[in-house]
Amino acid sequence: KALEFIKNLQQRIRSSREGAALMPLAMIIVVFMCTFICYTFRRDRLEYSYEQIDSNLTYSLLAASIINLNEYARTGNLIISDNAEPTVWDAAFVNSYVRFVDCLKNNLGLNDEMETIKEQGMYGKVGIISYRVYNYIADDAGWHITECGIKDGGAYTLRYPDNTDVYVTANDGMLKITETSVYAQISFTLEGLGNYKLTRLVAVTD
């Protein structure tokens, strides 16, 4: 429609005695329309890039959801832990985190320093602000949640009291943990738009 309007305006200018007077207005309109089209194209491209980053973060979390099959067979609990009660030093948690980082680098096109090497509207370094595993464990007392995580380079384990609801801000809302879940928050820079943070939570299901 924009190009059609410009063509019609050009025809009017050629056929009008006042064509010379309309020429500056026509040029302003042409410049405005070109700027608007470029802006729209760039915005759509960056929105697509953001959605791609979102999807790749989710895929990386799914790949990191490595459960203890022996514990699942014995108790029915889907947990990312070596034993019935998880800790951040479990090999299961460490392997989950390493798998997440490897998949994130591969999916986002990052080098070993977490710097972008693949063009997708993102540049600079990608930071992993936080990585957590929320283990939902059912037992004779009911259930409880044990959180194992790495935040700003520090590792921790947090066991919540029995039958206590745990809520997490992720996926653009407030979510209640009702099953074992994997969480990550990353930071990155979109070209022309600045710094962003993205947080995702993925449930581990059978």
Side-chain angles (χ1 to χ4, degrees):
K1 290 184 178 180
L3 294 176
E4 183 179 348
F5 173 77
I6 293 173
K7 289 179 180 179
N8 291 335
L9 184 60
Q10 288 175 334
Q11 291 175 358
R12 286 181 58 192
I13 291 173
R14 292 194 188 101
S15 62
S16 173
R17 296 178 180 178
E18 300 177 350
L22 289 175
M23 185 61 71
L25 175 62
M27 293 303 297
I28 292 173
I29 293 175
V30 169
V31 171
F32 172 78
M33 295 304 298
C34 290
T35 303
F36 177 74
I37 292 171
C38 291
Y39 168 79
T40 303
F41 175 78
R42 182 178 179 81
R43 182 199 62 188
D44 291 344
R45 180 171 174 271
L46 289 173
E47 285 182 355
Y48 174 77
S49 297
Y50 187 89
E51 291 173 359
Q52 288 292 101
I53 296 169
D54 189 348
S55 298
N56 287 328
L57 175 59
T58 301
Y59 297 150
S60 301
L61 286 170
L62 287 171
S65 303
I66 311 168
I67 66 167
N68 184 329
L69 293 177
N70 291 330
E71 192 65 26
Y72 177 56
R74 189 175 69 84
T75 64
N77 287 321
L78 285 165
I79 60 174
I80 300 173
S81 171
D82 293 346
N83 304 298
E85 187 55 44
T87 73
V88 75
W89 306 114
D90 284 346
F93 176 83
V94 174
N95 290 336
S96 175
Y97 179 70
V98 170
R99 174 76 67 88
F100 168 73
V101 174
D102 287 343
C103 289
L104 190 68
K105 288 192 294 186
N106 183 65
N107 291 336
L108 293 182
L110 309 176
N111 60 21
D112 290 338
E113 284 70 45
M114 302 295 286
E115 297 170 335
T116 55
I117 55 176
K118 184 169 67 175
E119 173 60 33
Q120 55 178 344
M122 181 176 64
Y123 71 94
K125 209 164 190 176
V126 173
I128 300 175
I129 300 172
S130 180
Y131 180 79
R132 309 174 195 166
V133 172
Y134 293 92
N135 284 291
Y136 186 96
I137 302 168
D139 52 29
D140 294 338
W143 55 270
H144 71 274
I145 294 170
T146 299
E147 175 185 340
C148 301
I150 298 174
K151 184 175 182 180
D152 297 327
Y156 66 91
T157 302
L158 176 60
R159 187 194 188 282
Y160 293 90
D162 291 342
N163 306 316
T164 299
D165 292 334
V166 176
Y167 292 88
V168 181
T169 301
N171 304 357
D172 304 318
M174 184 71 71
L175 303 177
K176 180 180 177 181
I177 302 296
T178 58
E179 52 195 334
T180 294
S181 305
V182 185
Y183 163 106
Q185 183 181 53
I186 64 173
S187 62
F188 55 92
T189 303
L190 281 179
E191 184 179 351
L193 292 180
N195 298 326
Y196 278 82
K197 292 180 182 179
L198 184 59
T199 307
R200 285 292 173 261
L201 180 78
V202 173
V204 179
T205 61
D206 55 359

